[in-house]
Amino acid sequence: MAKDDKLAAELPPEIASVGKIRIGSNIQNPPNNFYAADGKTPIGSEVDLAKAIGRKLGVEMVYEDMAFGSLITSLQAGRIDLTMAAMNDTKERQKSIDFVDYFTSGITIMIQKGNPAGIKSPDDLCGKAVAVNSGSSQETYAKERSTICTQQGKGEVTVAATDSDTQNQNQLRTGRVQAILNDLPTAVYVAQTAGDGKYFEVVNLPPINGGPYGIGVNKANPKLAKAVQLALQSLVDDGTYTKILQSWNVTQGAIQKVAINGGP
């Protein structure tokens, strides 16, 4: 992919002169961002998108691995130029930084391969046992869904909350639960990789309670946010964005319009 001179001209001069953008991330979240087998090379859907944005703008994307909780403060302090770490764009976070939205995530239903429980929609969770992570939005949703089920005269959702993804997967594999509720990209990745893709699948639905992931930008640098937005929109328009998501099997979270601060 060649540099787009018109888009590159949108970059702040201080970024263009250095020729690189420093991206802060917490690199342990497959398939969004994680290390290759060498333990040093960042890979993932977000990494591929970041590199494609960099090529459009004619700059190198340089990753810096740091704790998730330090990303916003590092951005505000100018230690990094962007964040890209499966961070939800929310009104609360918008008080601190700006976001260029690039993906829609939300709750996804993962089931046994072949769907023996016949779960095709959230309504089918009634009367079933569901595994979730403790304290997660998925646990809250499962309990809310259970209330709806009982109000409709159907069986409640039995919620099995643990602190272990592995334990949840074992419960699904052995039939102690009929579904796992998880974040979209993670569920897709697990379905792809666990047992070489033979154990699980993801119900083909739009994300439940979906919201955008955002590339974080310092509020003092709106010119950089605009350049990234335009570059990403160009990738959406020319099909590169879709190809990247297809390569990681996460097209369910695709967007068509790149917004700034579009989160709920």
Side-chain angles (χ1 to χ4, degrees), residues 112-167:
Q112 283 186 1
K113 196 80 170 181
N115 196 10
I119 297 173
K120 298 179 181 178
S121 75
D123 291 340
D124 296 326
L125 296 176
C126 297
K128 306 286 197 312
V130 173
V132 296
N133 287 328
S134 298
S136 65
S137 58
Q138 288 87 355
E139 181 178 13
T140 301
Y141 174 78
K143 291 177 178 177
E144 291 171 350
R145 174 55 54 179
S146 185
T147 299
I148 293 170
C149 289
T150 55
Q151 288 173 346
Q152 293 175 342
K154 303 175 183 177
E156 67 179 4
V157 179
T158 302
V159 182
T162 78
D163 292 317
S164 168
D165 284 337
T166 300
Q167 185 176 341

Side-chain angles (χ1 to χ4, degrees), residues 69-80 97:
S70 69
L71 289 171
I72 289 178
T73 53
S74 294
L75 188 61
Q76 290 174 314
R79 291 188 288 271
I80 52 177
I97 62 174

Side-chain angles (χ1 to χ4, degrees), residues 187-198:
V188 170
Y189 182 78
V190 170
Q192 260 185 283
T193 57
D196 292 325
K198 297 175 183 176

Side-chain angles (χ1 to χ4, degrees), residues 17-164:
S17 62
V18 173
K20 68 178 183 180
I21 291 177
R22 300 164 298 167
I23 299 182
S25 189
N26 183 226
I27 309 175
Q28 55 174 3
N29 187 14
N32 306 304
N33 53 71
F34 59 112
Y35 284 114
D38 64 6
K40 297 183 294 184
T41 305
I43 59 174
S45 57
E46 290 184 348
V47 179
D48 287 350
L49 283 173
K51 288 179 178 178
I53 291 169
R55 286 192 293 270
K56 283 278 187 184
L57 296 173
V59 295
E60 179 188 4
M61 296 302 215
V62 180
Y63 266 81
E64 298 193 23
D65 194 359
M66 56 185 66
F68 187 86
S70 69
L71 289 171
I72 289 178
T73 53
S74 294
L75 188 61
Q76 290 174 314
R79 291 188 288 271
I80 52 177
D81 303 306
L82 302 174
T83 67
M84 198 169 184
M87 182 181 289
N88 289 111
D89 170 6
T90 65
K91 293 300 183 193
E92 186 61 32
R93 286 181 174 141
Q94 287 170 21
K95 296 175 183 177
S96 302
I97 62 174
D98 288 328
F99 288 98
V100 179
D101 299 336
Y102 62 93
F103 189 82
T104 298
S105 188
I107 298 169
T108 300
I109 305 171
M110 190 166 71
I111 51 179
Q112 283 186 1
K113 196 80 170 181
N115 196 10
I119 297 173
K120 298 179 181 178
S121 75
D123 291 340
D124 296 326
L125 296 176
C126 297
K128 306 286 197 312
V130 173
V132 296
N133 287 328
S134 298
S136 65
S137 58
Q138 288 87 355
E139 181 178 13
T140 301
Y141 174 78
K143 291 177 178 177
E144 291 171 350
R145 174 55 54 179
S146 185
T147 299
I148 293 170
C149 289
T150 55
Q151 288 173 346
Q152 293 175 342
K154 303 175 183 177
E156 67 179 4
V157 179
T158 302
V159 182
T162 78
D163 292 317
S164 168

